[in-house]
Amino acid sequence: MGQTNATTWRGFVFLGFSGFGELQLLLFALFFSLYLVTLTSNVFIIVVIRLDSHLHTPMYLLLSFLSFSETCYTLGIIPKMLSSLVMGRQAISYEGCAAQMFFSASWACTNCFLLAAMGFDRYVAICAPLHYASRMDPPFCARLVGTSFLSGYLFGLGMTLVIFHLPFCGSHEIQHFFCDTPPVLSLACGDTGPSELGILILSLLVLLVSFSFITISYVYILAAILRIPSTEGRKKAFSTCASHLTVVTIHYGCASFMYLRPKASYSLERDQLIAVTYTVVTPLLNPIVYSLRNRAVQTALRSAFRGRLLGAG
């Protein structure tokens, strides 16, 4: 009977923020504003890095791809969420839900690997500055970016297959605003233990492998910085890593809390609010952090604004 229902029914319904009543319009205004700023900021970072020749370096190349990945990640989630806040419960097909999970998981995993690549870039720049140009040459950077995207897609596909090979024969209401792994898995029939273990293993691989690369890179970076004799030199060296460290802390903090917890600690209502942090807020912090803490980006942004003002005049 369960198998029959699983094959005849092919859709889900997002409950989203339906329990917030009249506050939904206020949430729409808030999230829509944040989304516009996020989209504009990340696209602006990409364009500025592309147009300013002073930013044509491996570090900013990787930053531009991180902004691109963050932009794609939000495009797959937030428009549907905004629609549900205005129009109420939103339906999504079985295939659409699987596609949304695949792309959101893929871009999230890609972000992890790109952050690891950026950590390696900082390691080479600080620990082997004389060899930076030869080691971080364009072909190697292209391989870093390509590997990050390919690995992200493979892990995203694995997570999607682990969940969507299960039958769905019970409730079709997702207590969430997008097809994230915990709320969708909670609707599956039968024994979900192997799938839960599979998701945990895949999440551990993505987070621990990428974070281990970042940690090892910064152990060497810290050792190199401590060997710099002058205080001013140490501050200057560390300042080149501060933006990256800030983004890493926020990104891995949210991801670890959501995907490395035991099932007993899941709370779909609470997790939905927490998910707002890594789907709306975290993608916004990337361009803000790099814009506020990075002088080269600040200079390029000021030049771009001056150019636009002069062009308008």
Side-chain angles (χ1 to χ4, degrees), residues 16-300:
F17 298 92
S18 56
F20 284 74
E22 296 179 356
L23 289 176
Q24 289 187 78
L25 289 179
L26 180 61
L27 290 174
F28 171 82
L30 174 62
F31 294 155
F32 182 68
S33 301
L34 289 174
Y35 179 54
L36 282 182
V37 175
T38 299
L39 195 62
T40 304
S41 301
N42 277 298
V43 170
F44 205 64
I45 288 285
I46 295 170
V47 172
V48 166
I49 291 174
R50 176 69 180 84
L51 296 180
D52 193 318
S53 59
H54 296 96
L55 300 181
H56 291 177
T57 64
M59 181 176 76
Y60 296 111
L61 170 72
L62 293 170
L63 173 59
S64 68
F65 278 106
L66 179 63
S67 291
F68 173 76
S69 181
E70 293 278 24
T71 300
C72 293
Y73 177 71
T74 57
L75 282 172
I77 296 174
I78 298 182
K80 191 77 173 177
M81 179 189 73
L82 294 173
S83 176
S84 67
L85 284 169
V86 175
M87 303 178 66
R89 299 184 179 191
Q90 291 285 296
I92 188 171
S93 68
Y94 179 90
E95 294 78 9
C97 187
Q100 187 184 55
M101 181 178 291
F102 165 69
F103 285 112
S104 62
S106 296
W107 293 118
C109 294
T110 298
N111 290 343
C112 290
F113 295 122
L114 285 173
L115 286 170
M118 293 171 76
F120 179 77
D121 169 79
R122 292 298 82 205
Y123 156 75
V124 178
I126 293 175
C127 298
L130 297 179
H131 302 284
Y132 182 73
S134 59
R135 288 189 182 181
M136 298 297 295
D137 61 357
F140 182 74
C141 289
R143 289 195 295 271
L144 274 181
V145 172
T147 301
S148 298
F149 277 82
L150 179 60
S151 300
Y153 291 151
L154 290 176
F155 276 101
L157 179 62
M159 290 180 181
T160 305
L161 292 177
V162 162
I163 291 181
F164 279 90
H165 83 282
L166 295 169
F168 293 88
C169 51
S171 171
H172 56 87
E173 294 181 335
I174 300 178
Q175 187 66 44
H176 214 305
F177 54 84
F178 78 102
C179 290
D180 203 3
T181 50
V184 174
L185 187 58
S186 69
L187 302 180
C189 304
D191 182 14
T192 60
S195 293
E196 292 168 11
L197 179 61
I199 292 295
L200 178 61
I201 291 173
L202 289 171
S203 300
L204 280 171
L205 282 173
V206 172
L207 294 174
L208 291 185
V209 169
S210 58
F211 190 71
S212 295
F213 274 105
I214 294 172
T215 303
I216 293 170
S217 296
Y218 275 100
V219 167
Y220 283 101
I221 288 171
L222 182 60
I225 290 176
L226 292 176
R227 289 196 297 267
I228 298 175
S230 67
T231 303
E232 188 63 29
R234 287 195 294 270
K235 286 183 178 179
K236 184 177 180 180
F238 185 76
S239 67
T240 65
C241 306
S243 299
H244 180 249
L245 275 175
T246 303
V247 173
V248 165
T249 301
I250 297 169
H251 182 88
Y252 281 88
C254 292
S256 299
F257 180 80
M258 285 301 299
Y259 298 107
L260 299 184
R261 296 174 297 157
K263 184 182 178 182
S265 65
Y266 285 170
S267 170
L268 295 179
E269 292 79 7
R270 181 191 62 195
D271 290 353
Q272 180 178 339
L273 294 176
I274 296 171
V276 172
T277 303
Y278 64 84
T279 55
V280 180
V281 179
T282 301
L284 172 62
L285 293 178
N286 172 38
I288 288 179
V289 167
Y290 276 95
S291 298
L292 292 178
R293 299 191 61 92
N294 192 291
R295 290 184 179 179
V297 174
Q298 291 175 14
T299 302

